[in-house]
Amino acid sequence: QAIQYFFNAARIPGAITPMALLITIGGVVSLAAWLIGPAKGLGVVAEEGNLPPIFNRTNRYGSPVAVLIVQALIGTLISLLYVFLPSVNQAYWILSAITVELLCIVYFLVFAALIRLRYTRPDAPRPFRIPGGTAGAWLIGGMGAGGVIFSFFVGLMPTGDFSATRAVFYVGGILIGTLLLAVPPLVFLKLKKPGWRKAGTTREVSR
């Protein structure tokens, strides 16, 4: 609609259809990258032995088949929100917020790892080292972690699409969805076995 309003205001309505076609092509291309990118990453994680062996199976093109199938199933189940919620905007915002919350958890761990590794592996070769020694690591890591925590709580704030009575549903849905998607990696890590590692992969670096 924004594109339509723009070109109508510019008095070139004939550009709406070509622009819509270009946007569609761009969306399909970006969707392909979004689908195969995380799947390839999880495939590498599986090869390193952090997921059950079934997830490191690939087809002749090197794509992790099991990961893609599970990804499709989870995506289909999550998409059911668009069916059960009264508004498309509500479903979109909940899914977007869950994505942000998961990213906040990941980045919090990244900043926490930055600080911890300065103590556990201070002399490890690094392509870039934050200046200031341990104090610099605490400053950058602390600022990053603080910003991530702030963003996490901002993501729990309902938008104007949710009434006061549905605000609890919004927050609860985000927390439950985030928990359900964040717990499986911890379970796999707990159940991890040496036999899960695919033959020929790099050995795990000792801590």
Side-chain angles (χ1 to χ4, degrees), residues 115-142:
I115 298 173
R116 176 172 171 76
L117 288 174
R118 280 301 178 93
Y119 290 94
T120 58
R121 301 183 63 192
D123 300 323
R126 296 177 171 88
F128 175 78
R129 182 180 292 272
I130 295 176
T134 304
W138 270 100
L139 177 63
I140 301 301

Side-chain angles (χ1 to χ4, degrees), residues 16 107 182 197:
I16 296 176
Y107 281 113
R197 180 181 295 274

Side-chain angles (χ1 to χ4, degrees), residues 5-160:
Y5 292 147
F6 174 81
F7 285 116
N8 285 335
R11 297 183 179 180
I12 46 175
I16 296 176
T17 300
M19 181 59 68
L21 179 61
L22 292 175
I23 292 174
T24 302
I25 295 174
V28 172
V29 173
S30 63
L31 179 62
W34 273 87
L35 288 175
I36 195 61
K40 293 284 284 187
L42 286 174
V44 174
V45 171
E47 291 178 356
E48 291 293 329
N50 295 305
L51 289 175
I54 189 175
F55 290 104
N56 62 37
R57 297 178 182 176
T58 58
N59 59 16
R60 58 179 178 173
Y61 301 106
S63 299
V65 179
V67 173
L68 286 170
I69 293 175
V70 173
Q71 179 177 280
L73 292 175
I74 294 176
T76 301
L77 291 175
I78 292 176
S79 298
L80 292 177
L81 279 176
Y82 288 98
V83 177
F84 294 108
L85 289 180
S87 169
V88 173
N89 285 338
Q90 291 182 5
Y92 174 81
W93 279 112
I94 288 178
L95 294 178
S96 298
I98 291 175
T99 303
V100 171
E101 303 301 77
L102 290 171
L103 287 174
C104 286
I105 294 174
V106 172
Y107 281 113
F108 177 82
L109 294 176
V110 168
F111 289 118
L114 163 66
I115 298 173
R116 176 172 171 76
L117 288 174
R118 280 301 178 93
Y119 290 94
T120 58
R121 301 183 63 192
D123 300 323
R126 296 177 171 88
F128 175 78
R129 182 180 292 272
I130 295 176
T134 304
W138 270 100
L139 177 63
I140 301 301
M143 291 175 59
V148 166
I149 293 173
F150 175 77
S151 300
F152 185 91
F153 285 104
V154 169
L156 296 176
M157 297 180 181
T159 64

Side-chain angles (χ1 to χ4, degrees), residues 156-176:
L156 296 176
M157 297 180 181
T159 64
D161 294 307
F162 293 86
S163 61
T165 56
R166 286 188 169 270
V168 176
F169 168 78
Y170 175 84
V171 176
I174 291 176
L175 291 177
I176 293 174

